[in-house]
Amino acid sequence: MELLDATQAALHLLLSGDADLWRIVGVSLSVTLRAMLIAMPLGISVGYLLASARFPGRRPLIVVTQGLLASPTVVVGLILYLLLSRQGVFGQLHLLFTQTAMVIGQVLIALPALIAFSLSAIQGADPRARETAVALGASVPRIAWTMLVEVRFALMVAVCNAFGRVISEIGCSLMVGGNIAGVTRNMPTAIALETSKGDFAQGIALGIVLLVVALSINSAFAFFQGESRR
C-alpha cells in the first residue's frame, strides 16, 4: 500500500508541475544535451579517423577506447575531481561543483561509446560506397560525409547509447557537481538522495521522467529508421 501511495504522490508531482521537480529535470537535460553536442562531433570524427586511417599507435588507441566503455563513471568523477580541486592542475578555474564540471565529466563518459560504436559502424560499411566516391573524384571531406551518411542509423545507435549512458550516470555528477539544489542536482543524484531520505514520491517521479526520455529517444530512432526504409 505504501508503494501505491508513493506512486500516486509521484504522479501528482508530475501533473501539478512541481517547481523543484521540474528544475531538477531541467538541470539534467541541460547538462546532458550540452555534453552530447560537444561529444557527438568529436567522438564520431575520431571514430571515422580510426576506421579509415592507418598510423602508428592506432591499434593501442582502439583497445584503450574499447576498454574505457566499461570504466566506472565514479572513477571518471574521481579523476576529474582531483584535477579541478583547489590543489589540482585546473583548480584555478574554479569549475568544481558547477554545471560546467558536470558537462566535462559527461563528455568524457560519452566519448568512448561514440568512438567505439562509430568505429564499428564505419568498418562494417559497404566498401563500395567509399570506392564509388573516390572513383567520382570526391574530396576527402565529401568521402567522409558519404561514409557517415551510409552508416547513419548505426551512428544514431551510438548517439542513443551514449545519451543513455550519460543521462543516467550518478557517480561523476555527484563527485564534480556536488548535488547542489537548484544548481547541479540532476535526476540520478536526486533519486539517490530522496530515496535515502525515504521520500519515494520524488524518486519515482524522476524515475518515470528518465524512462519517458529514454523511450522517447528510442521511439524517435525507430520511427526515422522505418520512414527511411519506406
Side-chain angles (χ1 to χ4, degrees):
M1 193 65 182
E2 183 179 348
L3 180 59
L4 180 59
D5 292 339
T7 303
Q8 290 176 342
L11 293 175
H12 179 265
L13 286 173
L14 289 170
L15 298 176
S16 64
D18 182 78
D20 291 335
L21 177 77
W22 290 106
R23 188 178 297 112
I24 292 169
V25 174
V27 169
S28 195
L29 292 177
S30 173
V31 169
T32 299
L33 289 175
R34 279 183 283 164
M36 289 301 298
L37 286 175
I38 296 170
M40 280 192 298
L42 182 59
I44 293 173
S45 298
V46 173
Y48 176 82
L49 180 64
L50 290 175
S52 58
R54 297 293 181 271
F55 53 88
R58 172 179 173 272
R59 176 52 57 184
L61 186 58
I62 292 175
V63 172
V64 170
T65 300
Q66 292 174 338
L68 290 175
L69 284 172
S71 62
T73 60
V74 70
V75 175
V76 177
L78 174 61
I79 295 173
L80 196 56
Y81 180 91
L82 295 175
L83 291 174
L84 298 179
S85 63
R86 289 184 179 181
Q87 293 77 27
V89 177
F90 303 107
Q92 60 186 358
L93 298 177
H94 304 293
L95 293 177
L96 196 61
F97 304 140
T98 66
Q99 289 189 15
T100 302
M102 295 171 66
V103 170
I104 295 172
Q106 292 194 1
V107 168
L108 295 177
I109 292 168
L111 279 176
L114 288 168
I115 294 172
F117 281 95
S118 299
L119 168 65
S120 178
I122 295 167
Q123 285 182 329
D126 189 339
R128 290 176 295 182
R130 176 187 295 276
E131 293 168 0
T132 301
V134 172
L136 293 174
S139 62
V140 173
R142 182 63 182 177
I143 294 172
W145 177 253
T146 299
M147 295 303 298
L148 293 178
V149 171
E150 182 73 15
V151 298
R152 59 191 180 280
F153 293 119
L155 294 180
M156 289 176 67
V157 172
V159 171
C160 288
N161 183 282
F163 183 88
R165 179 167 164 80
V166 296
I167 199 172
S168 60
E169 72 84 19
I170 184 173
C172 183
S173 293
L174 193 59
M175 294 198 70
V176 302
N179 202 20
I180 303 171
V183 181
T184 60
R185 182 169 296 169
N186 62 8
M187 287 189 280
T189 59
I191 290 173
L193 174 67
E194 298 304 326
T195 302
S196 66
K197 290 163 50 179
D199 184 4
F200 297 106
Q202 189 172 77
I204 293 173
L206 292 170
I208 292 172
V209 174
L210 272 175
L211 287 174
V212 169
V213 170
L215 289 174
S216 298
I217 291 175
N218 283 280
S219 297
F221 166 69
F223 172 78
F224 287 120
Q225 187 177 36
E227 287 295 313
S228 177
R229 287 177 176 175
R230 289 180 186 177

